[in-house]
Amino acid sequence: MATFARIADDETPSISVDARAIVADVDDNIYGGFTEHIGRCIYGGIYDPGNALADENGFRKDVIEALQELRIPVVRYPGGNFVATYHWLDGVGPKADRPKRPELAWDGMESNQFGTDEFLKWCEVVGTEPYFCLNFGTGTLDEALGWIEYCNSNKDTHYANLRRKHGRKEPYNVKYWALGNEVWGPWQVEQMTKEDYAKKAYQWAKAIKLLDPSVKLILCGETGYSSWDFHVIKECIKLDLHGLGGSTTVGLIDMHSIHIYTASSDHAKNATAPRAAERAIEITAGLIDLARAENHVPPTVPRQKICFDEWNVWDPVRAPGEQGAEERYTLSDALAVGVWLNVFVRQAKHVGMANIAQSVNVISPLMTTSKGVVKQTTWWPLLLFSKYMRGRTVAVNVRSGEYQGDTEPAWIRGTMDTPWLDVSAVLDNGVVNLAVVNVHEQRDFVTELAGVEASGKVEVYAVTGPGVDAVNTEEKQEVGISESTWDAVYASARDALRGGKYGTLGSPAAFKESAFYLWFKTINHHFIEVESTRTPVPQLVPQASGLVLELGPGMGNQLRRFEKSKVTRVVGVESNAHFAPDILLQVQEQGLEDVYELLTCSVDDSNALERHGIVAGSLDTVLSIQVLCSVPHPEATLKELYRLLKPGGKLIFWEHHRSSDWVTVVMQYLWNPIWSQFIGCHMTRDIPAAIATAGEWENLDSIDGDKRTWALMPRAWGVLIKPSAPA
């Protein structure tokens, strides 16, 4: 739950979290998926036999790994519109005997090579729960009961024995079953009126619950704010003792589904459109309560929840379903998905499940190629929410400016607020996690944060890219996650919230970072020229090998110098997040996407490094090119780097240091206060001595250096080897 107070755009926004005000448990099922027989979702998506990336079952292993990363708890199948002419018996048994059928929903052909048993086995491999949709078009009640018996019965009956004959002894125990899909739509085979559907759905529900009382049944709703929803909910959410064995503690219907897609070519409309879903949830929840009251459903029957089993950003004109509906998502779409997910977290009291449509290739955050998967822009907010926005929803109050232009749909304006900062918060294992989406295309908002006690470090993850039109493709990855750590004392008072770009804290240090980035970017071409023609750097960097930790990659100047055949993985640690887009661009241009990983944190942040596998004795190479002059404590940093190096590992460096000429030293000390304040590096550090005392080196005498004793910034360089472990 979030409350909102509008303020002028030039006022300072604030977010107040009340962790004591628990609203509801967040059902993990709001992070559900959806797979339908359409386009490349099943064939060429999750199922691709013959592909080198498929396992012995024909399941794409890279897709499985990606969905496991999202921790998807439930996946809907087999449709969608497809289900209106789907007969489950066509898709079981020996594959050679399965018939090919015309597919009417998407104007295709269904081979039935992937069916019930394949999907349920795939769910077991992924570690997710299945959710089946019943055929309310050309299907019959007998057929539906047979499918449930096939999946769930342990009795000595026909369809249970058929399952055993097909090689599955134990029941699958499929819990969730939908009573049709979008049967109100004119595009459906066997479209129904709301009156006909309500009668049919109620009678099917009675029969199904008599067969298997353990299943959860989901009504077919529309948008949640239509006359269809009003009528169907009123006629189906009631107490029926005849279909429940006389029980007054369970209901025939467990959830009511609604479907909404949003999209606009205008960024502000696109990012605020999911607010329509929030109003739809509130209206549907009211209709459920009204039906329970009018139909005298006792409080002993659990309150029915909402199953938002199709949602996403989708423009059917831009990505027609008949052509596979393969959207190319932008950063604007990723921000819209962030707002969608905030809606589900805020409305946790009412939402029991939500399923993004769809999980692979079709209007999906995940795309497959013959060589692997591409994580679209919308993948990243989904990943962050799935990892961090679980637990219990807590109350939030937001004071912010508001987008006041036209909305899509138009009725949002006047019925819902559209703040620039869209917020939700959860309490998970004693930790408050806050999700903030800045929907403003140009502005950053330095924002006051109140109501939470912060201590230690605050972990910050930002979905970011060069602009709202940025996309991720197989050729280029423009949008990703920036990781950083904030000091809790400062972060608890003032946070940087930035839409589409890296945030800047309203502190002197942060402004210095921003200014340094702009200055460095302006003169970077000079650094490239000097390093390439007048220094040993081009000979030093190619000696990096194995697992490499690159300190302060800056603009990514050294990436072009790595020998790809020598490095297995490169982890860049850059504390100034402003450099991240430039680094990632260089990663792409140099073809290092498979080996380079960027962390926007301090090299002293051992927790962040450990999360990415950088632990004591793990590194083959540490690369430091003009970085040690600017770290806060070079001696401590070098000792830590020595600890991380494995025996036989090497430190490659080119650094400036304090001069050995006393006249030059005087000049350095005179210049250093100004230089260190505005540029951020120190001229008077004895870097060679700090390196020498970091630990034992096999070849300390190999350090080379600038012979110009009068140089104001003399350099030292070398490749030092940490002694190998005793035999």
Side-chain angles (χ1 to χ4, degrees):
M1 180 184 73
T3 56
F4 169 67
R6 190 174 78 191
I7 61 175
D9 281 358
D10 58 356
E11 293 185 58
T12 300
S14 66
I15 298 171
S16 179
V17 180
D18 187 352
R20 299 165 301 176
I22 304 297
V23 177
D25 290 338
V26 177
D27 197 312
D28 287 348
N29 283 348
I30 68 170
Y31 301 115
F34 175 29
T35 54
E36 180 177 4
H37 288 251
I38 170 179
R40 295 193 306 123
C41 183
I42 302 296
Y43 304 110
I46 67 175
Y47 183 67
D48 198 5
N51 189 294
L53 298 173
D55 65 12
E56 66 277 8
N57 300 304
F59 304 154
R60 283 283 294 252
K61 292 182 288 187
D62 51 350
V63 172
I64 290 171
E65 291 171 1
L67 297 181
Q68 287 173 335
E69 186 180 6
L70 289 180
R71 296 164 57 196
I72 289 183
V74 61
V75 178
R76 183 175 179 238
Y77 176 84
N81 296 343
F82 169 82
V83 79
T85 59
Y86 179 66
H87 299 283
W88 69 271
L89 280 168
D90 288 344
V92 297
K95 292 188 177 183
D97 297 337
R98 298 184 189 182
K100 295 180 179 179
R101 302 285 191 191
E103 199 288 295
L104 303 185
W106 306 111
D107 191 25
M109 183 277 295
E110 175 52 49
S111 69
N112 285 303
Q113 293 302 289
F114 187 94
T116 298
D117 292 291
E118 287 79 20
F119 177 73
L120 293 173
K121 186 169 187 176
W122 179 82
C123 286
E124 290 177 344
V125 173
V126 173
T128 190
E129 193 162 5
Y131 164 26
F132 279 161
C133 184
L134 296 169
N135 179 352
F136 255 57
T138 60
T140 65
L141 177 56
D142 277 345
E143 184 181 13
L145 293 172
W147 200 7
I148 296 169
E149 179 191 333
Y150 183 91
C151 293
N152 292 0
S153 178
N154 60 3
K155 296 180 180 179
D156 183 18
T157 55
H158 175 73
Y159 288 113
N161 288 332
L162 182 63
R163 182 194 69 238
R164 297 183 183 103
K165 179 182 177 181
H166 292 159
R168 174 75 180 202
K169 180 180 178 181
E170 299 300 323
Y172 290 109
N173 296 320
V174 178
K175 181 191 298 185
Y176 300 105
W177 296 82
L179 299 169
N181 169 77
E182 294 183 2
V183 293
W184 42 268
W187 52 86
Q188 291 293 330
V189 175
E190 292 284 336
Q191 178 191 8
M192 294 184 187
T193 65
K194 56 183 180 289
E195 293 82 8
D196 288 342
Y197 172 78
K199 292 176 183 177
K200 181 176 180 178
Y202 194 76
Q203 296 306 317
W204 278 41
K206 284 199 297 183
I208 290 169
K209 286 286 177 97
L210 287 170
L211 175 67
D212 187 350
S214 70
V215 301
K216 303 294 183 183
L217 294 181
I218 294 96
L219 280 175
C220 172
E222 191 177 347
T223 58
Y225 50 84
S226 71
S227 59
W228 173 283
D229 296 286
F230 173 79
H231 181 84
V232 168
I233 288 172
K234 182 179 179 181
E235 294 300 315
C236 294
I237 293 183
K238 55 188 177 182
L239 187 66
D240 188 322
L241 298 180
H242 299 289
L244 300 168
S247 173
T248 59
T249 60
V250 294
L252 284 180
I253 302 301
D254 300 282
M255 285 190 273
H256 179 78
S257 77
I258 55 179
H259 294 177
I260 292 177
Y261 293 95
T262 61
S264 176
S265 58
D266 178 88
H267 167 67
K269 291 181 181 179
N270 193 43
T272 57
R275 295 286 285 168
E278 188 142 25
R279 191 69 180 122
I281 291 168
E282 293 169 347
I283 292 171
T284 306
L287 294 178
I288 290 171
D289 289 344
L290 178 62
R292 289 174 64 92
E294 289 194 348
N295 294 332
H296 307 291
V297 178
T300 52
V301 175
R303 184 173 180 268
Q304 289 77 11
K305 287 198 170 186
I306 294 162
C307 180
F308 219 124
D309 55 12
E310 286 191 34
W311 70 269
N312 204 345
V313 177
W314 179 28
D315 182 349
V317 176
R318 186 172 63 195
E322 296 80 4
Q323 298 176 22
E326 297 196 6
E327 281 270 23
R328 175 173 290 185
Y329 287 118
T330 65
L331 179 56
S332 176
D333 298 325
L335 296 175
V337 165
V339 176
W340 265 107
L341 293 167
N342 268 342
V343 167
F344 296 141
V345 172
R346 287 194 294 261
Q347 296 295 330
K349 178 180 179 181
H350 305 305
V351 180
M353 186 190 298
N355 307 78
I356 188 170
Q358 295 186 14
S359 293
V360 188
N361 287 331
V362 177
I363 52 173
S364 174
L366 188 68
M367 306 296 292
T368 63
T369 71
S370 59
K371 300 177 182 178
V373 294
V374 176
K375 295 173 180 177
Q376 294 217 72
T377 61
T378 55
W379 167 274
W380 301 109
L382 196 62
L383 176 65
L384 288 179
F385 271 82
S386 180
K387 289 180 70 173
Y388 299 109
M389 299 304 287
R390 298 180 187 245
R392 295 179 290 175
T393 299
V394 297
V396 178
N397 177 260
V398 179
R399 295 177 68 256
S400 165
E402 183 178 15
Y403 167 67
Q404 299 182 57
D406 293 337
T407 58
E408 181 63 42
W411 60 259
I412 293 177
R413 178 62 60 235
T415 60
M416 298 293 291
D417 300 317
T418 50
W420 291 122
L421 302 181
D422 191 273
V423 183
S424 70
V426 298
L427 182 66
D428 189 13
N429 293 320
V431 176
V432 172
N433 294 332
L434 189 67
V436 183
V437 181
N438 177 6
V439 302
H440 203 295
E441 185 171 354
Q442 285 92 25
R443 283 200 58 186
D444 306 337
F445 295 99
V446 176
T447 304
E448 295 177 352
L449 177 61
V452 290
E453 293 291 334
S455 61
K457 298 294 184 180
V458 176
E459 295 180 358
V460 181
Y461 304 89
V463 177
T464 183
V468 294
D469 294 325
V471 297
N472 286 355
T473 66
E474 188 175 12
E475 293 76 27
K476 61 179 180 179
Q477 295 282 304
E478 296 182 326
V479 176
I481 293 175
S482 159
E483 297 185 26
S484 59
T485 304
W486 293 347
D487 181 84
V489 175
Y490 187 78
S492 63
R494 184 168 289 180
D495 293 343
L497 307 171
R498 188 164 185 166
K501 300 178 182 178
Y502 287 91
T504 303
L505 292 174
S507 67
F511 286 122
K512 186 191 296 184
E513 283 187 353
S514 179
F516 177 75
Y517 164 73
L518 294 173
W519 170 78
F520 194 94
K521 186 169 185 176
T522 302
I523 66 169
N524 187 50
H525 65 283
H526 174 70
F527 279 100
I528 294 174
E529 180 184 357
V530 170
E531 284 184 358
S532 299
T533 60
R534 307 181 200 174
T535 77
V537 171
Q539 289 74 48
L540 291 171
V541 177
Q543 297 183 58
S545 61
L547 174 56
V548 181
L549 182 69
E550 182 186 13
L551 297 185
M555 297 290 294
N557 292 348
Q558 308 311 325
L559 272 63
R560 71 197 71 199
R561 299 188 172 111
F562 286 117
E563 286 197 15
K564 297 178 185 177
S565 61
K566 289 184 178 180
V567 297
T568 56
R569 182 178 170 222
V570 182
V571 179
V573 178
E574 176 55 66
S575 61
N576 189 337
H578 294 279
F579 284 106
D582 301 276
I583 298 169
L584 295 175
L585 181 61
Q586 281 298 312
V587 169
Q588 174 192 324
E589 290 185 357
Q590 303 305 323
L592 295 171
E593 296 96 327
D594 294 335
V595 297
Y596 199 96
E597 182 177 5
L598 177 64
L599 305 183
T600 52
C601 65
S602 166
V603 70
D604 301 320
D605 189 346
S606 58
N607 290 332
L609 295 180
E610 286 177 7
R611 286 198 301 271
H612 293 269
I614 309 299
V615 296
S618 63
L619 294 175
D620 296 290
T621 306
V622 171
L623 178 67
S624 179
I625 306 296
Q626 295 200 121
V627 177
L628 296 174
C629 59
S630 59
V631 298
H633 307 289
E635 293 82 3
T637 295
L638 281 161
K639 289 182 183 297
E640 175 64 9
L641 293 173
Y642 187 88
R643 185 182 73 88
L644 296 176
L645 273 174
K646 64 173 57 173
K650 52 198 170 190
L651 169 66
I652 302 174
F653 64 95
W654 183 68
E655 299 284 351
H656 69 79
H657 58 90
R658 189 171 65 214
S659 175
S660 60
D661 176 70
W662 72 269
V663 175
T664 306
V665 169
V666 171
M667 294 298 296
Q668 286 178 323
Y669 273 95
L670 289 173
W671 269 102
N672 193 63
I674 298 174
W675 190 259
S676 61
Q677 180 65 30
F678 289 96
I679 304 302
C681 72
H682 297 262
M683 306 173 71
T684 57
R685 290 179 171 177
D686 191 350
I687 298 299
I691 292 173
T693 57
E696 295 185 11
W697 303 102
E698 284 187 356
N699 56 334
L700 189 59
D701 57 356
S702 68
I703 295 179
D704 205 345
D706 203 323
K707 303 303 187 289
R708 301 170 301 160
T709 59
W710 49 265
L712 198 59
M713 299 180 73
R715 263 66 173 188
W717 60 87
V719 180
L720 297 185
I721 309 297
K722 183 176 180 178
S724 299

